[in-house]
Amino acid sequence: MADAVSIFMAIGLSEQKAKETLKNEALSSTLKKAIEQAQGLLGSASIDKTAGTLLYNMVTRLKDSNRLSFLTEYIITRKITSELQLSAALDFLKNHPQENLDRLEFEAACGVGVVVTPEQIEDAVELIIRKHKDQLLAERYRFNMGILMGEARTALKWADGKIVKNEVDMQVCGTCSNQSKSLCISVCMCTEIFCCFSGEANTEGKSLMEQLRGEALKFHKTGENYKTEGYVVTPNTMTLLKKHLEETGGQVRTRFPPEPNGILHIGHAKAINFNFGFAKANNGICFLRYDDTNPEKEEEKYFTAIREMVEWLGYKPYAVTHASDNFQLLYDLAVDLIRRGHAYVCHQRGEELKGHNVPPSPWRERPVEESLLLFDRMRKGMFAEGEVTLRMKMVMEDGKMDPVAYRIKYTPHHRTGDTWCIYPTYDYTHCLCDSIENITHSLCTKEFQSRRSSYFWLCNALDVYCPVQWEYGRLNLTYTVVSKRKIIKLVETAIVRDWDDPRLFTLTALRRRGFPPQAINNFCARVGVTVAQTTMEPHLLEACVREVLNDTAPRVMAVLEPLKVTITNLPTNAQKEVRVPDFPANEAKGSHVVPFSKTIFIEQSDFREVMEKGYKRLTPDQPVGLRHAGYVISVQRVIKDGCGNVCELEVSCASSDSVEKPKAFIQWVSDPLQCEVRLYERLFLHKNPEDPAEVPAGFLRDINPYSITVIESASVDRSVGKAKVFDKFQFERVGYFSVDPDSTSEKLVFNRTVMLKEDPGKI
């Protein structure tokens, strides 16, 4: 096995993917054959990662194994070099099953030999942008970037998608160069989001409700389940659907079904928005249903945190339910399944049931009465854990045979205590709970597509109402991990404090860092409801955060590394109040008052003893303005400590009306509050810390040593003195900050949520 893993990793597969591939005997055998053929063509054992990835994708999708050597040759000789060409090749072969292919026709169909030059890409993109220039500049970042990308891909069918995207980015920014910088950044960000859709219908510029309302997603109408592709119609289907419509009144019903064994993360935010949002957009209802069928891993704190996060994102469940609410009914249905001849008690051990090549059970055809008796004995606790299971007689889409329906666990359940010692599995429970709750649209992530046939099979085998399962792509972020097991490792090794450490991307961590729920929902809307898995950069989420905080976070002045400044031409007891607008762009939204006296504090970085080219703030030869105060200060004397470090400035001040306008204005504080400030950076150094090819030593060895900086003696103006936990502010010229739960009545603690868009050194 180790040799096979090495062979698969040598063509670019991760260790995990290589091991998963080995579980599928047919797939791994075909892949080995393709690798051997490729090595024969190359005359070498070395296959580059690009070709290796194409070989793997070809093997997983190729229906006719007789075409294996044919396609392998095209990949290794670099006639097929992209996923786009491979897809076209596979489609051609599917539609031309005859043995003797017209190679010229095949090569024309999949772009063999087509070269798209950079000049052609540049010219095509230029024409497209010129066509939409007026609308682009008028709508700014709300412009539907899918129009540009869609037309570019149509005009440049065989061009490298990344190069096309980069050219669109560059020309959009060039077009916007005479407009604001933020427009350029925002439009390029939208382009990047669109490119993650892999050619799917673009959602840019649409609200989540617009994306989910009515027929926008092409879902079935309530009661018309039978019109869905793959839905199995039985003689009783229409009767069951009629009864379902009578009970629901034709109302859309969805559910969000998390396992209460961990904290929700950013990927769950998409699931919450999709399930609750689809119901809301279509005047329906959504259940929060805990899939609490594994008492070994479930804790009360997770139940509480999950509901809290759902409501924090702005959604109210129609009802909070539990799979355990139905334990008796699920058991009764299992008995019925046995009676119908669709399930049996099996004595194969857990290790024998792992993987895709499980040997057939010798107990598959045991008599119904015998299975009923043994299942009753399982219920009464007469077997040891792992000794027996109840299995369903069916084959799943991924080839897995006879999935387990019930297993034994002698662990008290948080709700039912010791009442049960057998617990249903996801494959058994999920569809039946959906049926019991009359769910119309069972929305789940793409990895559950292989369970769709078992979902339909079980409902039909028991002759109960069968909902429709729809799959969508997962949302992932780079530079992080969201696996429960890996987060626990981070906590256990004290790399992070807990599940809500602001460097993580759990929802509790994002809340603690200061991310507004509206920003997370906006991010999910921008990503859109896609079938393909989307992997996004954190800065795209942070851009959504800035947009919300720019409108909602009041401005205050703070100094993270204070430098004392004494204004020599003010009296010792000089004291005045300065009114500072909470939102300078809209002063009608309120203001607060801060003191101004002979002694103030500025940022150490806002003073340089030696003038440098381009530096606009305070130097011995260059004055600077004080924001909101109406004064300009000029250095009179620089005071240093015994180590030669500047520790104080003596300055004079003049009314800003009486002197030439300075090149810059800086923030300051007087008689401030002392606070602690925590500055966060990415937790991991590499984009994909879980990928062995990128981080061979494992994710625990990829920690950024500078992911947190704690400043214990920062200064902030007194207007924030009564701030509550999670209150958010913009520290002028510094960034957006949120009050941390570690704050006390004696000392506030602030977490930096995100930096400002602008580089504060250039303001």
Side-chain angles (χ1 to χ4, degrees):
M1 177 178 173
D3 289 343
V5 170
S6 299
I7 292 170
F8 293 164
M9 289 178 67
I11 66 167
L13 270 63
S14 68
E15 184 177 4
Q16 180 181 356
K17 178 64 73 175
K19 289 179 178 177
E20 286 178 3
T21 301
L22 274 176
K23 293 177 182 177
N24 188 323
E25 190 174 303
L27 175 62
S28 57
S29 174
T30 306
L31 183 58
K32 286 178 185 175
K33 190 180 295 183
I35 293 171
E36 289 170 0
Q37 290 175 0
Q39 290 170 337
L41 289 166
L42 289 169
S44 164
S46 178
I47 301 173
D48 67 72
K49 187 173 181 179
T50 300
T53 301
L54 287 172
L55 284 175
Y56 177 79
N57 291 340
M58 178 262 290
V59 167
T60 58
R61 294 155 59 189
L62 185 64
K63 302 298 183 184
D64 183 359
S65 59
N66 293 325
R67 302 292 191 187
L68 183 68
S69 58
F70 177 79
L71 282 181
T72 299
E73 176 191 342
Y74 271 86
I75 291 171
I76 294 305
T77 56
R78 299 190 181 279
K79 292 181 179 179
I80 291 178
T81 59
S82 69
E83 182 63 31
L84 190 65
Q85 284 184 293
L86 177 62
S87 295
L90 290 167
D91 287 341
F92 185 91
L93 294 177
K94 179 181 177 182
N95 297 322
H96 297 77
Q98 62 269 29
E99 186 173 339
N100 297 318
L101 280 179
D102 184 329
R103 284 207 175 220
L104 291 177
E105 186 183 358
F106 169 78
E107 291 179 359
C110 51
V112 173
V114 176
V115 177
V116 183
T117 67
E119 291 77 15
Q120 289 174 310
I121 295 174
E122 182 180 347
D123 291 344
V125 172
E126 184 179 348
L127 286 173
I128 293 165
I129 290 180
R130 189 184 304 160
K131 174 182 172 183
H132 298 283
K133 181 179 178 181
D134 292 343
Q135 185 184 356
L136 171 63
L137 296 178
E139 296 182 8
R140 294 164 57 85
Y141 60 84
R142 295 180 183 85
F143 179 79
N144 184 344
M145 293 302 298
I147 295 173
L148 303 184
M149 288 302 302
E151 291 186 14
R153 295 303 293 140
T154 300
L156 301 160
K157 181 177 180 181
W158 302 113
D160 187 305
K162 290 182 179 178
I163 296 176
V164 173
K165 174 199 173 298
N166 290 339
E167 184 64 31
V168 171
D169 278 354
M170 186 174 69
Q171 291 201 31
V172 165
C173 286
T175 303
C176 302
S177 61
N178 294 326
Q179 306 294 316
S180 68
K181 179 182 177 184
S182 61
L183 166 59
C184 180
I185 293 171
S186 297
V187 171
C188 289
M189 183 187 80
C190 294
T191 310
E192 188 162 349
I193 290 174
F194 173 75
C195 285
C196 293
F197 295 162
S198 303
E200 296 179 28
N202 180 55
T203 58
E204 190 59 40
K206 293 183 180 180
S207 72
L208 185 68
M209 294 300 106
E210 288 173 325
Q211 295 178 45
L212 300 176
R213 189 174 293 122
E215 298 182 6
L217 291 175
K218 308 300 181 186
F219 284 169
H220 70 283
K221 294 179 181 178
T222 54
E224 295 186 356
N225 306 31
Y226 59 91
K227 293 185 177 180
T228 307
E229 183 180 355
Y231 192 85
V232 180
V233 178
T234 70
N236 204 27
T237 292
M238 302 314 292
T239 302
L240 292 169
L241 286 175
K242 182 180 178 181
K243 182 182 177 184
H244 160 73
L245 286 172
E246 289 172 355
E247 293 182 5
T248 64
Q251 186 180 45
V252 166
R253 289 189 169 203
T254 61
R255 80 291 168 272
F256 173 58
E259 297 177 70
N261 60 4
I263 299 296
L264 303 181
H265 55 71
I266 187 66
H268 290 111
K270 178 178 178 179
I272 291 169
N273 272 277
F274 194 10
N275 280 282
F276 283 92
F278 180 70
K280 183 178 179 180
N282 295 283
N283 301 312
I285 59 176
C286 183
F287 295 81
L288 169 59
R289 183 206 305 149
Y290 294 110
D291 183 16
D292 57 341
T293 58
N294 188 353
E296 293 174 339
K297 297 182 179 180
E298 294 155 5
E299 295 184 43
E300 185 59 38
K301 67 177 182 180
Y302 298 136
F303 287 85
T304 304
I306 287 170
R307 181 168 185 175
E308 195 175 305
M309 288 300 98
V310 168
E311 293 178 349
W312 177 65
L313 287 177
Y315 294 106
K316 183 174 177 58
Y318 170 75
V320 177
T321 61
H322 304 74
S324 57
D325 296 338
N326 303 306
F327 273 176
Q328 184 60 54
L329 178 55
L330 292 171
Y331 175 79
D332 293 342
L333 287 170
V335 171
D336 188 26
L337 195 67
I338 297 171
R339 286 200 177 107
R340 290 169 181 259
H342 297 311
Y344 61 96
V345 172
C346 176
H347 299 274
Q348 283 178 296
R349 296 285 180 167
E351 56 272 15
E352 296 178 77
L353 300 179
K354 291 180 179 178
H356 290 270
N357 301 302
V358 177
S361 171
W363 295 278
R364 195 173 198 266
E365 302 304 327
R366 81 184 329 154
V368 166
E369 291 304 321
E370 189 176 319
S371 281
L372 286 171
L373 177 64
L374 291 171
F375 190 49
D376 181 60
R377 292 178 65 190
M378 285 174 62
R379 166 77 176 82
K380 292 176 179 177
M382 300 174 70
F383 292 102
E385 284 193 22
E387 189 176 351
V388 288
T389 58
L390 180 70
R391 295 175 65 183
M392 298 177 281
K393 291 184 179 180
M394 57 90 61
V395 180
M396 300 177 74
E397 287 184 28
D398 61 0
K400 191 172 183 179
M401 188 172 182
D402 294 359
V404 172
Y406 269 86
R407 72 280 203 218
I408 298 170
K409 288 183 182 292
Y410 291 109
T411 303
H413 191 274
H414 74 288
R415 296 184 74 237
T416 61
D418 294 322
T419 303
W420 297 90
C421 64
I422 57 171
Y423 293 97
T425 61
Y426 175 90
D427 288 322
Y428 177 79
T429 308
H430 182 63
C431 61
L432 295 180
C433 283
D434 280 354
S435 178
I436 292 164
E437 292 177 355
N438 270 300
I439 299 303
T440 58
H441 299 75
S442 181
L443 310 175
C444 55
T445 48
K446 191 74 172 175
E447 63 264 33
F448 292 101
Q449 185 171 4
S450 63
R451 290 175 155 109
R452 187 194 282 197
S453 59
S454 67
Y455 185 106
F456 292 158
W457 176 87
L458 182 54
C459 289
N460 291 328
L462 287 167
D463 207 17
V464 297
Y465 161 69
C466 182
V468 178
Q469 175 176 303
W470 292 96
E471 302 88 14
Y472 58 92
R474 289 182 61 175
L475 168 61
N476 294 323
L477 280 185
T478 54
Y479 294 101
T480 191
V481 297
V482 293
S483 155
K484 296 165 188 173
R485 179 176 57 84
K486 289 177 180 174
I487 291 176
I488 289 171
K489 280 281 187 186
L490 291 170
V491 174
E492 289 175 345
T493 53
I495 291 170
V496 298
R497 294 173 62 183
D498 208 337
W499 290 82
D500 66 346
D501 188 296
R503 292 167 291 176
L504 297 173
F505 280 85
T506 60
L507 294 184
T508 52
L510 295 179
R511 179 179 64 172
R512 183 168 187 171
R513 186 160 173 170
F515 282 36
Q518 181 186 347
I520 295 173
N521 293 343
N522 290 349
F523 176 64
C524 292
R526 287 190 182 182
V527 171
V529 183
T530 59
V531 175
Q533 177 174 297
T534 51
T535 300
M536 311 298 287
E537 297 272 350
H539 72 84
L540 301 175
L541 172 59
E542 291 169 0
C544 294
V545 172
R546 287 191 190 94
E547 286 182 8
V548 173
L549 293 181
N550 185 53
D551 293 334
T552 59
R555 277 55 168 171
V556 299
M557 291 192 289
V559 174
L560 303 191
E561 296 180 313
L563 174 61
K564 183 180 178 181
V565 175
T566 301
I567 304 173
T568 58
N569 60 335
L570 285 183
T572 303
N573 59 353
Q575 186 83 24
K576 66 176 281 190
E577 290 185 338
V578 173
R579 185 161 294 278
V580 178
D582 292 336
F583 297 89
N586 184 1
E587 297 190 16
K589 293 176 73 172
S591 61
H592 59 277
V593 172
V594 297
F596 182 83
S597 62
K598 185 180 180 69
T599 301
I600 64 172
F601 297 88
I602 67 171
E603 283 285 0
Q604 292 180 18
S605 60
D606 282 338
F607 170 74
R608 288 187 186 173
E609 193 172 5
V610 178
M611 181 68 176
E612 296 178 11
K613 185 178 180 180
Y615 187 73
K616 297 180 181 180
R617 287 160 285 158
L618 187 62
T619 73
D621 301 313
Q622 180 170 272
V624 74
L626 299 178
R627 291 178 70 85
H628 311 298
Y631 289 116
V632 175
I633 58 173
S634 301
V635 176
Q636 303 297 311
R637 181 179 170 218
V638 179
I639 302 172
K640 299 183 180 181
D641 61 20
C643 298
N645 300 314
V646 176
C647 60
E648 183 180 349
L649 301 176
E650 289 184 353
V651 304
S652 62
C653 74
S655 170
S656 55
D657 295 332
S658 63
V659 295
E660 184 180 347
K661 183 179 178 180
K663 292 181 179 179
F665 286 81
I666 62 174
Q667 84 274 20
W668 52 273
V669 291
S670 178
D671 189 23
L673 293 174
Q674 297 301 303
C675 64
E676 179 180 310
V677 171
R678 298 169 182 171
L679 307 177
Y680 298 101
E681 301 291 345
R682 290 171 177 162
L683 181 59
F684 296 98
L685 296 170
H686 290 82
K687 184 176 285 190
N688 301 297
E690 297 173 277
D691 186 352
E694 201 168 325
V695 186
F699 74 103
L700 291 177
R701 300 291 186 207
D702 193 46
I703 303 302
N704 176 9
Y706 307 107
S707 62
I708 180 172
T709 300
V710 179
I711 301 172
E712 296 183 351
S713 299
S715 298
V716 63
D717 77 47
R718 289 188 170 273
S719 67
V720 304
K722 295 183 180 179
K724 302 183 295 296
V725 171
F726 302 137
D727 279 355
K728 298 162 184 62
F729 302 93
Q730 185 197 104
F731 288 0
E732 293 199 44
R733 300 181 61 249
V734 180
Y736 293 101
F737 291 79
S738 177
V739 180
D740 188 82
D742 286 344
S743 298
T744 66
S745 56
E746 288 76 33
K747 190 174 186 180
L748 289 171
V749 177
F750 288 94
N751 294 320
R752 183 174 67 190
T753 306
V754 289
M755 294 186 288
L756 299 175
K757 284 185 181 179
E758 301 85 358
D759 177 358
K762 295 181 181 178
I763 298 177

